[in-house]
Amino acid sequence: MTPQAVIFDLDGVVTDTAHLHFLAWRQIAREIDIDIDEQINEQLKGISRMDSLERILRYGGAEQRFSQHQKQILAERKNTLYVESLKQLNPDSVLPGIAALLAELHGANIPVGLASVSLNAPRILDALGLTHQFDYCADANLIKRSKPDPEIFLAACAGLGVQPENCIGIEDAQAGIAAINASGMLSVGIGLQLQDADLRLPSTASLSWPLLQTVKRN
Ligand code: G6P
Ligand code: MG
């Protein structure tokens, strides 16, 4: 089957912002006496800002310590730190293989979509110089449920006018693979530890359009 569209996750697939999210959350967590490590961060991938805060609070046994208003302030402060760290992004921050794959997809006239629950996605694509490479970016402001819910991938398919069954989604998070699978799309996982992906690759450097055309449902 020739896929009708390819839909990308952003953080961890197009560029490596996962570590920047981690550094910002770690600072906020420290200020409220919670120590988080990279292992917890793994569980925050693909999870919205407020859901990430809730998970950190639960991990630290602090679910009851903060009012809704205080949680808003913590999440906003995390975002300020994160946005500050995004200033280091530039076109060289695009992960290996991604620019070449986007060029191959354009050459083959395959629509390209973005399915990121990050409210900073437009700003990040802009910093990477990739805004015009995406035919449709699902708007995270309109999404009610983070991954593993398929909502954002379904929104990207609808925006491109394609059927999920005929599309490929690329993800680096376990919650993201679950979201792609639940949408009915074929899933490509970046990371050999990811479970249930139709194809798993060690890194984005292995991605290519010929390879994506060989993906079959597991
Ligand atoms: C992506 C990342 C998550 C992050 C979420 C929201 O899904 O993988 O780690 O929490 O976006 O990002 P935002 O930029 O809106 O805080
Ligand atoms: Mg990701």
Side-chain angles (χ1 to χ4, degrees):
M1 167 199 94
T2 301
Q4 261 182 26
V6 178
I7 298 176
F8 292 75
D9 169 46
L10 177 63
D11 293 309
V13 172
V14 175
T15 189
D16 183 18
T17 39
H19 190 66
L20 302 179
H21 277 292
F22 171 65
L23 293 178
W25 277 130
R26 188 175 63 179
Q27 178 160 339
I28 296 295
R30 268 189 191 150
E31 289 170 15
I32 54 172
D33 296 321
I34 299 174
D35 246 328
I36 59 167
D37 56 19
E38 295 270 8
Q39 219 177 326
I40 308 299
N41 194 47
E42 211 43 52
Q43 297 166 31
L44 305 181
K45 291 183 178 174
I47 308 296
S48 73
R49 198 180 303 163
M50 272 318 265
D51 288 354
S52 298
L53 176 62
E54 295 288 357
R55 284 187 190 212
I56 291 169
L57 294 179
R58 211 178 316 139
Y59 170 76
E63 303 99 307
Q64 313 295 344
R65 243 172 81 194
F66 302 96
S67 67
Q68 208 47 42
H69 178 64
Q70 288 171 314
K71 287 182 196 172
Q72 284 295 347
I73 292 172
L74 287 170
E76 272 164 33
R77 290 206 30 249
K78 179 270 175 177
N79 193 53
T80 305
L81 292 173
Y82 176 64
V83 168
E84 182 60 31
S85 72
L86 290 178
K87 286 189 182 152
Q88 58 191 270
L89 293 185
N90 60 54
D92 290 337
S93 317
V94 177
L95 283 170
I98 294 295
L101 175 60
L102 289 170
E104 285 181 320
L105 293 172
H106 286 296
N109 270 323
I110 302 298
V112 174
L114 189 81
S116 170
V117 300
S118 172
L119 298 168
N120 292 299
R123 180 199 309 269
I124 294 171
L125 284 187
D126 188 46
L128 299 173
L130 289 182
T131 305
H132 300 297
Q133 301 270 4
F134 287 82
D135 298 296
Y136 185 79
C137 298
D139 184 351
N141 290 289
L142 305 177
I143 298 300
K144 294 192 186 67
R145 295 171 297 274
S146 327
K147 301 162 186 177
D149 192 282
E151 188 178 2
I152 189 118
F153 281 100
L154 293 174
C157 289
L160 290 172
V162 292
Q163 294 300 317
E165 291 69 26
N166 303 330
C167 298
I168 289 188
I170 308 177
E171 262 291 350
D172 69 314
Q174 193 59 57
I177 295 294
I180 296 174
N181 290 343
S183 76
M185 299 166 68
L186 291 164
S187 53
V188 173
I190 306 300
L192 297 177
Q193 78 291 352
L194 293 170
Q195 286 161 23
D196 303 325
D198 294 312
L199 172 70
R200 275 185 294 197
L201 298 173
S203 86
T204 53
S206 312
L207 285 165
S208 75
W209 175 228
L211 179 63
L212 292 185
Q213 290 173 83
T214 67
V215 180
K216 290 196 177 57
R217 212 167 289 281
N218 256 344

